[in-house]
Amino acid sequence: MKGTNLGEFEELVLLTIAALASEAYSVAICDELEKHTGRAAKLGVVHAVLNRLEEKGLAKSFLGEATSARGGKRKRYYEVTQAGKMALVNAREIREGLWRIIPELNLGGAV
Amino acid sequence: MSTAPTPPRNAQRLLEWYCRPELAEDLQGDLYEFFERNLQRRGLRYARFIYWIDVLKFIRLYTLRVPNFYSFFTYTIMFNSYFKTSRRSLVRNKLFSAINIIGLSISMSVGLLMISFLSDLLSYDDFHEKKNRIYRINTSLQPTGQPSIELASGSVLAGKKIQETFPNVEQVTLLRRGFGGDAKVNETTLPLGGLWADASFFKVFTFPLLSGNPATALKNPYTIVLPEKTAQKLFGDTDVLGKSIRFDTTEYTITGVMKDIPKLSHLRFDALVSFASIELQKPDFDGGFMNWGNVFSNYTYVLLPENSSLKTLQANLDKLCLSENKQLKNQQIQLNPQSLNGITIGNRLENASGPTMNQITIWILAGLVLVVILSACFNYTNLSIARSLRRAREVGVRKIVGAFKEHVLLQFITESVLISLMALLLAFVLFLVLRAQFLGLAPQLTELVSLELSPKIILYFVGLSALVGIAAGFLPALFFARIKAIQVLKDASSVPLFRRVNLRKALIVVQYTFSLIFITTTILGYNQYKHFIVFNLGFSTENILNINLKGNKSEILRKELAEIPSLTDISTSRLVTSLGSVYGTMIKYQQPDDSSNIAQNYVDERYLPLHGHQLLAGQHFTPRAKSEESSEVIVNEQVIKRFNIGGGHPTKAIGEQIKTLDGKKFTIIAVVKDFHYRTVEHRIEPFVFFYSPNEGNLNLKINSKDLPATMAQIEAVWKRIDKVHPLDARFYDDQIEEAYRQFSVIVKVIGFLAFLAVCIASLGLFGMVVFTTETKLKEISIRKVLGANEPSLVYFLSKGFLGLLVLSAAIALPSTYLLFDKLVLTQFTYHQPIHFWELTVGFWSVLALAVVLIGSQTLKAARTNPANVLKNE
């Protein structure tokens, strides 16, 4: 069932891709993740996850135009596929469904 | 390129090499961005470092390039084609193929010898099942203020303590050397030498018993275990359990017959006698049997349990020494475990059982062999690159038809490996010849190794040959792989044929430098060796025959020998000096606490005059019967200097008394001129002669016109007196030559390698000269047409090569001189100075050989008719 399951970090990366829209390439994704989670996102980890997402068909990528920056190397841009969007919505629904059946969550005391 | 700092190039290359092409570009871009960030924050060095780390971190399954099986597939299909072109090129260039194959096979044959030698040494004691857990307890005896003595042996006490009190040892076995004598069974008498061993012997070592119970065989006193061979010799049969053997007056019962000891074993014996027998006899001849300080005759072997650490054992040994050392005065004992596989290849220890081979010697030999092999590889490399013009077209066509770089690379490496395998066949034949020669160099070598072939060894041989092929062919292959197809096909002469001239020159210089170092070393070493054996030892060894008495009484033999007219004089001595071994005793003069270990010999009154020792003062020993105790002593000059007897003046020292440790007093009756009682590399130290009319060696001074007849007479006398032992009589001069055998072996081995190195280097040089004159034939012809004469042409062609030779000499000769002057000869106190001619004679002969090689070829070229060359345009 490789196609549909989303790991936590995979979900975060996929969300970031969606959030960055047309600027989603590996380094930018790392920076964005770091900004939102407050944790350092290593390129190696993110790169591996991006590769996996693409393999699962949740994201797709294409090479951009060459510029003089980055030593003349092109960027690989990512975007969320239809299947990716569905997986994100699905994950969110599962989560909200669970939240709804928790009787009384006392946030004040627990955190 | 801009001047902006860039990521490390090699890291980028590595990334490109391993990464899938579709992932590589953007990954490189990503890393570049991080590189720039790091560059701004932490500087260039840090940024480059992180870049490297990142590149390495990205080596993961999903980034790795899928190996190109397709490429490998093509290679196997193309193999036939490669083979065909290789064969054609080999046949076409017969001279160069011959040079390559002969050079490689000569050099590989010594490589093969080295491999089988090393493999024998490394498989010593491999037959013991528990070999990885067996340790010998070595002793380091440290007299205060003197260098320590490293012994393989140890005290009985230490062995017993380890056996009884140590936790964490599975088995301990005690051995003792020195069992020996004439074994008598009915009418058969056979001299045997062996070891005493206790009951655990067969639990530690793997010597399978054919009959008898290994657990009890060596338990009781006066029991003996024989190897098959001994049993066969004594009884003509191996089914001898329960029979008895008599040594002197003692009967021993055979409780076991074991399989013969494998050749590669450091423990060697004709018989094993139970340790309980020696315990009953308590031989106190060399100090108390159970003394802590009596560390000279016993061996302790420990079998550690699995997974136990050596540290615990060492700690326990240290603890034992700490408590027992309190008994000792003026010396300390330290015990160290040594693993079984370190015994044969290890430092030489005193009292070591079995042969040992010094690690440094092995490294040096292996290094020399490697140099010879590399030299042959250089020839191949040089000649292949030089002659690349012809093959370049072939490579060009291959590339146009679709060969990749790696195909060409593989093609040429395959070719060189094939050639090397061909050379292996020849090398193997040479190896068989060399092996016999090598083993014949010294009896010690036959004892040390057998150099037998086994499938494993053959596999190593093939491996060596493949490695040599790769080493020789790699540079040429790389050269071919980089050839640009279009350039070659458009204009073949544009191949950068002479671009690698510097590399080739460098290789030639390296070859010749090593050849010269070898040959000069041989000459220097040989002269020193000659010097040692004719060295003036300070006494005469001429026409002296030494007979080892083998326990016979000297008087009877002496009386009988005196009848032989050509024996002018006979003396007796305990030790034949100057052959390497020395015995010493502690001696002091007037100061009670100033004692010194002084070398000694026991001789009779005829010994000193017979050997032509020169007395500086005093007179010779007075003859005494055996029963009379002698209190006379003759000392050398060093003794009176050491103790400052009579102010160091020989005449004043006469009549003074010295004491041995047990309190006996000896009067100095003469001072003998210093002489070399050890081998010449040692400094002359104090030495004393004690008087004794009856010792183990007879020294006969022979003055005979008919030596064989005299020898026959002596032999006849011996046969009458001793029917068991063969006569052991050797001329003193021969014995001295034998004492320096190791030098002569080393000189011969290095000399042989030098010969090979020179041959191989000359072959290579010859090839290069042939090639150069061939390519320059047109130039020579034009020069000739324009008026150059033959000598000037020969000079023009050969000056480059001669220059290289002179350069090699400029490197080799001073370094050899320094090596000998500062390193080798400092080991020998009484060496000869290095002569200038010794240094240069090797160079002149190599130069002469080179001049002949170069001259013949260049002269041939210079004599060609220019018209013939120039008309085939």
Side-chain angles (χ1 to χ4, degrees):
Chain A
M1 299 304 284
K2 198 174 160 191
T4 47
N5 260 343
L6 258 190
E8 190 228 9
F9 194 65
E10 285 175 349
E11 190 184 347
L12 276 179
V13 172
L14 205 54
L15 281 170
T16 319
I17 297 175
L20 283 171
S22 65
E23 275 306 308
Y25 79 102
S26 48
V27 180
I29 294 169
C30 283
D31 295 345
E32 194 68 16
L33 273 173
E34 212 166 318
K35 205 164 78 189
H36 282 280
T37 61
R39 281 182 303 167
K42 286 277 192 294
L43 178 66
V45 183
V46 172
H47 197 271
V49 169
L50 285 172
N51 195 60
R52 201 154 58 230
L53 287 174
E54 200 171 357
E55 226 172 66
K56 287 180 180 176
L58 302 178
K60 63 181 181 195
S61 70
F62 57 92
L63 287 171
E65 290 297 310
T67 57
S68 62
R70 288 164 60 89
K73 307 289 182 201
R74 291 176 289 178
K75 292 173 182 172
R76 179 174 295 274
Y77 289 105
Y78 288 85
E79 59 186 28
V80 184
T81 59
Q82 192 57 36
K85 282 175 193 161
M86 280 169 65
L88 280 177
V89 172
N90 191 22
R92 182 176 174 172
E93 273 172 0
I94 292 170
R95 217 163 280 192
E96 279 177 353
L98 284 169
W99 274 109
R100 267 197 299 276
I101 56 172
I102 297 174
E104 283 165 30
L105 190 72
N106 190 351
L107 269 181
V111 180
Chain B
M1 277 299 269
S2 65
T3 50
T6 51
R9 272 205 55 77
N10 285 334
Q12 294 191 50
R13 277 206 194 127
L14 176 67
L15 184 73
E16 277 165 29
W17 178 72
Y18 77 73
C19 191
R20 294 180 185 197
E22 66 268 24
L23 291 179
E25 183 177 350
D26 67 294
L27 189 53
Q28 257 182 335
D30 291 349
L31 290 179
Y32 190 85
E33 266 187 61
F34 279 101
F35 174 77
E36 284 194 318
R37 284 184 196 180
N38 285 328
L39 185 67
Q40 280 182 358
R41 280 207 334 251
R42 307 277 299 269
L44 182 61
R45 190 184 283 248
Y46 178 79
R48 290 180 141 243
F49 175 69
I50 292 295
Y51 193 94
W52 260 112
I53 297 284
D54 279 341
V55 166
L56 293 178
K57 267 174 33 185
F58 268 103
I59 302 181
R60 301 185 192 187
L61 265 185
Y62 77 93
T63 58
L64 282 185
R65 193 194 278 268
V66 184
N68 197 343
F69 288 109
Y70 174 69
S71 162
F72 183 72
F73 190 54
T74 349
Y75 174 74
T76 41
I77 294 178
M78 290 299 288
F79 186 79
N80 273 334
S81 155
Y82 297 155
F83 190 73
K84 198 182 283 171
T85 47
S86 298
R87 203 195 61 217
R88 283 178 185 160
S89 125
L90 268 179
V91 175
R92 198 180 325 139
N93 307 314
K94 287 195 187 69
L95 174 71
F96 295 92
S97 313
I99 289 179
N100 280 333
I101 293 180
I102 291 174
L104 285 176
S105 51
I106 290 178
S107 69
M108 264 196 288
S109 63
V110 280
L112 301 187
L113 194 62
M114 192 68 214
I115 286 180
S116 54
F117 187 65
L118 269 184
S119 145
D120 264 13
L121 285 182
L122 289 174
S123 43
Y124 250 83
D125 295 311
D126 252 1
F127 57 90
H128 295 298
E129 276 159 17
K130 301 161 192 162
K131 59 178 185 243
N132 296 324
R133 296 190 279 134
I134 303 175
Y135 292 86
R136 180 173 69 189
I137 308 295
N138 292 341
T139 308
S140 168
L141 185 66
Q142 297 152 347
T144 328
Q146 280 178 48
S148 64
I149 306 165
E150 305 297 326
L151 300 139
S153 52
S155 60
V156 183
L157 184 66
K160 290 274 173 197
K161 288 265 181 192
I162 294 170
Q163 206 162 33
E164 283 152 18
T165 62
F166 273 33
N168 287 327
V169 290
E170 195 173 305
Q171 289 292 340
V172 178
T173 184
L174 294 175
L175 303 181
R176 188 177 176 82
R177 65 186 179 131
F179 175 81
D182 294 338
K184 285 206 179 78
V185 175
N186 303 328
E187 294 305 301
T188 327
T189 308
L190 186 73
L192 287 186
L195 296 168
W196 283 281
D198 70 2
S200 333
F201 182 80
F202 292 111
K203 288 180 193 145
V204 176
F205 298 111
T206 311
F207 289 110
L209 283 190
L210 293 174
S211 55
N213 179 357
T216 56
L218 291 168
K219 205 169 174 190
N220 297 320
Y222 304 112
T223 53
I224 189 167
V225 172
L226 301 179
E228 262 178 292
K229 213 196 294 175
T230 316
Q232 196 63 252
K233 269 189 208 159
L234 273 174
F235 297 91
D237 187 13
T238 54
D239 186 22
V240 294
L241 211 61
K243 293 188 179 168
S244 64
I245 304 177
R246 208 173 69 225
F247 284 90
D248 219 2
T249 54
T250 322
E251 293 269 337
Y252 290 86
T253 313
I254 300 172
T255 48
V257 177
M258 53 178 267
K259 272 198 185 162
D260 278 334
I261 309 166
K263 162 114 187 166
L264 301 179
S265 163
H266 86 281
L267 287 173
R268 295 171 180 185
F269 46 83
D270 299 330
L272 281 176
V273 177
S274 66
F275 200 80
S277 332
I278 185 86
E279 279 176 311
L280 277 185
Q281 295 166 358
K282 296 233 182 211
D284 273 357
F285 49 82
D286 50 358
F289 183 68
M290 285 297 274
N291 264 3
W292 174 248
N294 184 4
V295 291
F296 303 101
S297 299
N298 227 63
Y299 300 98
T300 307
Y301 289 84
V302 170
L303 177 68
L304 291 186
E306 302 207 24
N307 308 323
S308 96
S309 95
L310 204 54
K311 268 189 200 143
T312 353
L313 179 65
Q314 181 71 63
N316 285 332
L317 288 172
D318 289 345
K319 223 185 287 169
L320 175 69
C321 293
L322 198 66
S323 72
E324 297 291 336
N325 271 340
K326 285 172 198 150
Q327 312 173 11
L328 296 177
K329 253 186 244 164
N330 297 331
Q331 55 184 3
Q332 294 275 306
I333 282 174
Q334 205 194 328
L335 299 176
N336 303 305
Q338 181 184 30
S339 70
L340 192 64
N341 55 31
I343 286 178
T344 303
I345 302 183
N347 293 330
R348 183 177 287 277
L349 300 171
E350 303 289 331
N351 296 343
S353 49
T356 53
M357 188 79 196
N358 193 319
Q359 229 164 349
I360 296 172
T361 320
I362 295 176
W363 280 116
I364 291 176
L365 277 180
L368 296 181
V369 169
L370 189 71
V371 167
V372 171
I373 292 180
L374 278 183
S375 185
C377 290
F378 286 178
N379 278 354
Y380 186 95
T381 306
N382 258 351
L383 292 176
S384 307
I385 295 183
R387 298 193 59 85
S388 56
L389 187 61
R390 268 214 154 125
R391 301 300 294 277
R393 278 205 201 96
E394 178 198 329
V395 174
V397 172
R398 279 190 193 282
K399 284 202 164 175
I400 298 260
V401 204
F404 292 146
K405 233 180 173 182
E406 52 261 46
H407 290 137
V408 179
L409 196 74
L410 273 175
Q411 178 198 344
F412 282 93
I413 289 187
T414 314
E415 182 175 321
S416 63
V417 170
L418 281 176
I419 291 179
S420 167
L421 286 173
M422 258 191 271
L424 180 66
L425 294 179
L426 191 54
F428 187 73
V429 177
L430 288 174
F431 161 76
L432 295 178
V433 179
L434 275 184
R435 182 173 65 172
Q437 294 292 319
F438 179 71
L439 288 176
L441 275 182
Q444 287 91 330
L445 284 174
T446 339
E447 248 180 37
L448 183 65
V449 289
S450 55
L451 305 184
E452 263 159 30
L453 293 170
S454 67
K456 195 178 78 180
I457 297 270
I458 301 281
L459 204 67
Y460 287 155
F461 285 2
V462 176
L464 173 80
S465 153
L467 264 181
V468 165
I470 292 170
F474 185 71
L475 274 181
L478 208 62
F479 174 79
F480 282 118
R482 285 192 178 160
I483 281 180
K484 293 210 166 50
I486 295 184
Q487 201 187 354
V488 180
L489 292 179
K490 203 168 71 185
D491 177 13
S493 62
S494 69
V495 178
L497 195 56
F498 288 98
R499 197 193 283 163
R500 285 178 194 269
V501 162
N502 281 337
L503 170 74
R504 269 150 42 197
K505 279 184 182 164
L507 292 183
I508 291 184
V509 170
V510 171
Q511 275 182 326
Y512 268 93
T513 306
F514 277 113
S515 306
L516 284 173
I517 290 181
F518 277 9
I519 202 166
T520 317
T521 303
T522 312
I523 294 166
L524 289 178
Y526 183 71
N527 274 323
Q528 293 293 340
Y529 163 71
K530 271 277 172 226
H531 168 70
F532 287 150
I533 51 178
V534 299
F535 192 76
N536 183 5
L537 296 169
F539 62 95
S540 159
T541 57
E542 219 174 318
N543 292 329
I544 292 177
L545 187 74
N546 289 317
I547 297 182
N548 187 327
L549 285 173
K550 303 264 169 82
N552 290 298
K553 298 264 182 296
S554 69
E555 297 104 323
I556 319 163
L557 194 66
R558 224 171 156 162
K559 207 180 281 168
E560 298 246 355
L561 285 173
E563 311 279 308
I564 302 175
S566 49
L567 297 186
T568 51
D569 205 352
I570 300 175
S571 72
T572 175
S573 65
R574 179 171 295 183
L575 191 71
V576 178
T577 51
S578 309
L579 300 182
S581 45
V582 278
Y583 288 96
T585 186
M586 296 302 273
I587 279 178
K588 53 186 158 189
Y589 182 47
Q590 283 157 349
Q591 289 82 5
D593 49 356
D594 182 22
S595 64
S596 176
N597 195 346
I598 289 176
Q600 59 174 353
N601 196 5
Y602 283 80
V603 301
D604 68 354
E605 73 280 1
R606 295 302 313 151
Y607 180 89
L608 292 172
L610 187 143
H611 288 85
H613 279 287
Q614 223 180 314
L615 294 192
L616 296 175
Q619 56 214 329
H620 291 297
F621 287 119
T622 35
R624 275 168 219 273
K626 197 186 177 186
S627 49
E628 276 182 277
E629 186 115 335
S630 162
S631 63
E632 291 177 343
V633 68
I634 294 179
V635 301
N636 73 351
E637 294 170 77
Q638 294 301 321
V639 172
I640 54 176
K641 275 188 201 142
R642 163 71 180 78
F643 293 112
N644 196 21
I645 303 174
H649 212 282
T651 38
K652 287 182 192 152
I654 307 296
E656 293 290 317
Q657 283 191 325
I658 54 174
K659 276 180 275 186
T660 54
L661 271 201
D662 49 9
K664 275 191 207 146
K665 286 182 183 167
F666 289 90
T667 311
I668 298 174
I669 58 156
V671 176
V672 67
K673 195 165 186 291
D674 278 346
F675 65 98
H676 291 271
Y677 57 89
R678 294 180 80 171
T679 41
V680 182
E681 67 260 36
H682 296 103
R683 182 172 288 286
I684 300 177
E685 302 280 348
F687 189 93
V688 296
F689 285 108
F690 291 104
Y691 181 78
S692 163
N694 249 320
E695 289 297 339
N697 288 292
L698 276 191
N699 327 105
L700 316 181
K701 182 89 179 173
I702 297 178
N703 184 8
S704 165
K705 293 230 162 55
D706 184 7
L707 204 55
T710 314
M711 291 304 285
Q713 284 170 314
I714 295 172
E715 181 117 31
V717 171
W718 177 267
K719 282 248 170 72
R720 247 177 286 149
I721 287 165
D722 189 333
K723 292 185 177 58
V724 176
H725 304 97
L727 171 68
D728 180 10
R730 327 250 325 262
F731 276 99
Y732 210 153
D733 285 338
D734 297 344
Q735 285 177 304
I736 285 183
E737 204 167 319
E738 181 132 312
Y740 295 95
R741 184 48 110 5
Q742 45 167 333
F743 295 107
S744 89
V745 169
I746 290 173
V747 167
K748 275 183 197 158
V749 167
I750 295 182
F752 181 66
L753 289 175
F755 171 71
L756 291 189
V758 171
C759 283
I760 291 169
S762 305
L763 273 178
L765 183 70
F766 182 66
M768 286 309 293
V769 172
V770 170
F771 167 74
T772 315
T773 44
E774 260 177 28
T775 40
K776 286 191 177 168
L777 208 53
K778 217 164 263 179
E779 182 184 345
I780 294 167
S781 304
I782 293 173
R783 278 175 190 269
K784 219 172 163 185
V785 169
L786 292 179
N789 56 1
E790 281 176 16
S792 72
L793 282 175
V794 169
Y795 171 72
F796 157 74
L797 283 171
S798 40
K799 67 173 185 219
F801 291 112
L802 294 181
L804 294 183
L805 245 70
V806 172
L807 179 61
S808 318
I811 303 170
L813 300 187
S815 45
T816 317
Y817 177 77
L818 286 179
L819 175 76
F820 265 78
D821 195 50
K822 298 273 180 275
L823 225 69
V824 179
L825 290 182
T826 46
Q827 312 280 323
F828 303 95
T829 321
Y830 302 95
H831 63 82
Q832 230 185 0
I834 300 172
H835 300 298
F836 184 70
W837 69 266
E838 293 176 324
L839 274 178
T840 50
V841 69
F843 170 65
W844 291 122
S845 42
V846 169
L847 192 67
L849 184 63
V851 165
V852 170
L853 288 179
I854 298 172
S856 64
Q857 285 306 306
T858 48
L859 203 61
K860 200 172 107 191
R863 281 196 179 149
T864 45
N865 185 352
N868 287 341
V869 179
L870 292 176
K871 75 177 177 198
N872 324 318
E873 187 58 20

